[in-house]
Amino acid sequence: MSKKHHKSGMATRLTNYGDEGFSLFLRKAFIKGMGYTDDALSRPVIGIANTFSGYNACHGNVDALVESVKRGVMLAGGLPIDFPTISLHESFSHPTSMYLRNLMALDTEEMIRAQPMDAVVLIGGCDKTVPAQLMAAASAGTPAIQLVTGPMLSGSHRGTRVGACTDCRRYWAAYRGEEIDDQEIVEVNDKLVPTVGTCSVMGTASTMACLAEAMGMMLPDSATAPAVYADRHRIAEQTGSEAVRIAGSRIAPSDIMTEAAFENALRVLLAIGGSTNALIHLTAIAGRLGIDVDLEAFDRMSNETPVLVDLKPSGEHYMEHLHQAGGLAAVLHELRPLLNLDTPTINGRTLGENLDTSVRIINQQVVRPSTDPIYAQGGMAVLNGNLAPHGAIIKQSAASRDLMRHSGRAVVFASMEDLAKRIDDPNLDVNADDILVLQNIGPKGAPGMPEAGYIPIPKKLASQGVKDMVRISDGRMSGTAAGTIVLHVSPEAADGGPLALVRTGDIIRLDVTGRRLELEVDDEQLARRREQLPPSPSATGQSGYQKLFMEQILQAEEGCDFRYCRQAPTRRVPRR
């Protein structure tokens, strides 16, 4: 449709009464009940997805950000209208926020489609909200711009800087290992989340914020500003103004989220030591646009991409320090020879042009020069082998060097319930050299692929000072966690994958350098075990969203999106 005949503002997406004139008349009559004038209603309409929730501390500043976005929209001559959508917090979503990510994407997509808006500002922050919003934007096609809530500040416990949620896991592990007592675990619980905002480390929320900026869907320098800084509100105002511009230019998300943009995002994911979850999310977003993520090519990209950001869990600093060091631009400057610099971004300039005008801070300690990386190769490695025919992931930048090549006896837990029942049993037959295996926590098995892949060290070993073991599952791990942990094993156990065939006592061989994950059991024995497997879970007897989920959910290598939401892939990234 040409711009000349394009409907805009309140005339878009009219409710069907069989008479367009009456539909617009009725719409304006009702919204005027909220005090709008005809002048206001003649302006470009900018929707603002409001994800505030009393359950979501990561989004505790959303109401204030909405006001800042509105100011920017009005300064640019638009009419801002906020609307609610689902809001997901990682710690307040049963059984897991991943189970509900696709529901949030559907909700956001349909609210964009249903309501009059020329562009939309998507305010998200907590782990699954930004992926859900970008998935929705990709499918809806309406001009969209992302705004994140920003990370929380770090706190202090007994003179030590702490922050969610790497330190949450560190202190809990110390408590399980009887290194700290009941009083201290209660005390530190008050210090780990000192402000609203997303986790202060390079977890999934911070990773997705950086990737959204790297892809060009957010304004430059907007990924890292803490939630409580004035910077965050200036960014929100600028985002509102930019939304009016992209509404007039009719810039679709697909114009920004190109193959080149996804390559930049994958490159940045590796360089920042980002969350393994982000690979699933990028795959889901790309899949909505007919772009497939090639895991083997991604692994080759990892081999030539160093980890540069000295941030927990792969390093020592927190997100506020990355912001003070120049934000994502500091990383992009170091990666410049490896990036697609001519990709368009949401502010109308290319990535290279934005970099040319960014401030470069000298002598900062958070982003390493490419000649002196924190880790010589990318943060992740893709594994294959008879235990993971469709792939598995390990965050090698957060793993123990002495476990990267390891053979050990499997100690198998059949489910999360089995894990909870036996992991702290003093009679558990387990040694430090064993490999812990957790089955049936994949997309279908749990359901919802929980972040249970961070299998705790058995209490009897933790109390002996054991800090890490090889752990394998078909689930996920929080981006805030560290350890030698193999994730996203595909196909999952519940769908008949080889992981379901592992038994306690089997020997498993992990070789990260060789990119192999092998179960050393002969084929005849595996065939006999397969005959005894129960049928895969189905949607029979289920209803509502759970039925839809079980019928449509895809495996990790396809982004765990719903089958009917994913376009048939016509392109692949990385392209080289």
Side-chain angles (χ1 to χ4, degrees):
M1 183 184 296
S2 69
K3 292 182 181 180
K4 181 179 179 180
H5 301 291
H6 175 65
K7 293 181 179 178
S8 62
M10 282 293 150
T12 62
R13 303 178 180 90
L14 289 168
T15 307
N16 190 354
Y17 293 108
D19 181 337
E20 286 194 355
F22 175 72
S23 296
L24 180 58
F25 172 79
L26 195 61
R27 172 176 285 176
K28 291 176 71 174
F30 273 102
I31 202 165
K32 281 181 177 178
M34 300 171 74
Y36 290 105
T37 64
D38 281 317
D39 181 34
L41 297 177
S42 69
R43 307 299 178 101
V45 176
I46 307 301
I48 306 170
N50 186 333
T51 54
F52 177 80
S53 167
Y55 289 106
N56 196 342
C58 295
H59 292 199
N61 61 341
V62 164
D63 283 349
L65 290 178
V66 168
E67 293 308 308
S68 296
V69 172
K70 286 182 174 179
R71 182 171 65 248
V73 171
M74 288 188 286
L75 286 170
L79 173 64
I81 301 180
D82 66 300
F83 62 95
T85 72
I86 290 173
S87 181
L88 300 177
H89 188 278
E90 188 63 36
S91 300
F92 287 87
S93 299
H94 177 79
T96 169
S97 62
M98 189 65 170
Y99 176 69
L100 297 170
R101 182 202 65 179
N102 296 352
L103 182 62
M104 182 177 176
L106 290 173
D107 173 39
T108 305
E109 176 186 347
E110 293 310 317
M111 288 301 97
I112 293 172
R113 291 185 190 278
Q115 299 170 134
M117 60 189 76
D118 299 295
V120 61
V121 176
L122 302 165
I123 304 180
C126 196
D127 295 11
K128 308 307 177 295
T129 61
V130 172
Q133 289 177 326
L134 292 176
M135 291 161 68
S139 293
T142 296
I145 184 170
Q146 186 75 52
L147 172 66
V148 295
T149 56
M152 68 181 76
L153 296 181
S154 57
S156 178
H157 168 65
R158 298 187 180 183
T160 300
R161 188 185 293 273
V162 295
C165 208
T166 299
D167 293 321
C168 306
R169 300 177 188 281
R170 180 167 65 88
Y171 277 93
W172 189 252
Y175 178 63
R176 283 176 52 80
E178 301 178 351
E179 297 173 29
I180 63 175
D181 58 19
D182 291 347
Q183 178 181 338
E184 185 170 357
I185 198 66
V186 171
E187 182 183 331
V188 74
N189 191 252
D190 289 339
K191 307 297 184 182
L192 289 163
V193 183
T195 74
V196 298
T198 57
C199 285
S200 56
V201 299
M202 193 54 76
T204 305
S206 298
T207 301
M208 289 307 305
C210 290
L211 300 189
E213 182 178 331
M215 279 196 293
M217 286 297 290
M218 288 202 314
L219 291 178
D221 305 317
S222 65
T224 58
V228 296
Y229 275 20
D231 287 353
R232 180 54 56 195
H233 292 278
R234 284 187 281 270
I235 291 164
E237 180 185 304
Q238 293 162 5
T239 299
S241 296
E242 206 63 45
V244 177
R245 187 190 66 79
I246 65 171
S249 302
R250 298 180 62 193
I251 297 171
S254 59
D255 296 329
I256 303 297
M257 293 192 288
T258 62
E259 296 104 304
F262 279 107
E263 287 174 351
N264 287 339
L266 290 167
R267 184 81 68 183
V268 168
L269 170 60
L270 293 164
I272 63 178
S275 168
T276 52
N277 288 309
L279 183 58
I280 292 179
H281 298 320
L282 280 177
T283 302
I285 298 163
R288 296 285 181 110
L289 296 167
I291 301 172
D292 201 13
V293 174
D294 184 336
L295 289 179
E296 290 187 6
F298 173 68
D299 190 69
R300 291 194 296 272
M301 178 183 277
S302 179
N303 281 328
E304 63 182 29
T305 308
V307 178
L308 301 175
V309 180
D310 189 4
L311 222 72
K312 289 177 180 283
S314 296
E316 293 301 322
H317 296 286
Y318 294 86
M319 283 297 290
E320 65 204 72
H321 305 129
L322 178 57
H323 184 62
Q324 292 159 7
L328 183 65
V331 182
L332 298 178
H333 278 297
E334 294 298 329
L335 290 177
R336 189 167 188 139
L338 300 174
L339 296 172
N340 300 306
L341 296 173
D342 58 350
T343 55
T345 70
I346 204 69
N347 69 349
R349 303 190 194 103
T350 66
L351 181 67
E353 289 169 340
N354 286 333
L355 270 182
D356 289 340
T357 58
S358 65
V359 175
R360 194 166 188 179
I361 298 174
I362 307 300
N363 296 326
Q364 51 81 26
Q365 303 299 312
V366 182
V367 180
R368 298 274 192 90
S370 57
T371 54
D372 181 29
I374 188 172
Y375 190 82
Q377 294 181 322
M380 295 180 208
V382 178
L383 307 175
N384 290 102
N386 69 348
L387 195 50
H390 296 170
I393 296 294
I394 185 169
K395 188 173 183 178
Q396 57 185 347
S397 63
S400 299
R401 301 279 78 79
D402 58 342
L403 291 174
M404 299 287 269
R405 293 187 67 182
H406 182 76
S407 290
R409 184 186 69 121
V411 177
V412 179
F413 301 92
S415 64
M416 288 188 293
E417 293 75 18
D418 185 33
L419 178 74
K421 180 180 178 181
R422 296 194 293 127
I423 192 70
D424 288 339
D425 186 342
N427 296 316
L428 179 66
D429 181 12
V430 64
N431 298 296
D433 290 335
D434 291 338
I435 294 177
L436 304 181
V437 176
L438 179 54
Q439 302 165 328
N440 296 304
I441 62 164
K444 291 183 178 179
M449 208 180 183
E451 290 184 344
Y454 183 72
I455 305 166
I457 302 298
K459 195 167 187 178
K460 65 185 286 186
L461 297 180
S463 62
Q464 297 170 16
V466 175
K467 302 296 184 184
D468 194 14
M469 298 173 68
V470 175
R471 287 159 273 180
I472 300 172
S473 79
D474 47 12
R476 298 179 299 112
M477 176 178 76
S478 170
T480 65
T484 311
I485 302 173
V486 177
L487 305 155
H488 311 176
V489 173
S490 182
E492 64 175 303
D495 210 30
L499 190 68
L501 307 179
V502 184
R503 301 291 180 263
T504 294
D506 291 346
I507 300 300
I508 295 175
R509 179 169 58 87
L510 170 67
D511 179 2
V512 177
T513 302
R515 301 300 197 252
R516 303 302 294 173
L517 184 65
E518 300 286 350
L519 176 62
E520 297 187 349
V521 177
D522 65 70
D523 291 342
E524 290 183 6
Q525 176 68 13
L526 293 178
R528 287 194 293 271
R529 292 179 185 179
R530 182 169 293 284
E531 291 175 356
Q532 299 171 2
L533 288 180
S536 297
S538 70
T540 303
Q542 298 169 347
S543 61
Y545 179 69
Q546 187 178 29
K547 181 178 178 66
L548 174 65
F549 185 94
M550 295 301 290
E551 287 178 344
Q552 291 289 325
I553 194 68
L554 296 168
Q555 294 291 295
E557 71 274 11
E558 294 185 294
C560 296
D561 200 359
F562 289 156
R563 182 173 288 102
Y564 75 93
C565 293
R566 182 177 167 86
Q567 289 189 23
T570 57
R571 297 161 287 168
R572 304 194 83 180
V573 294
R575 293 169 294 183
R576 56 184 187 277

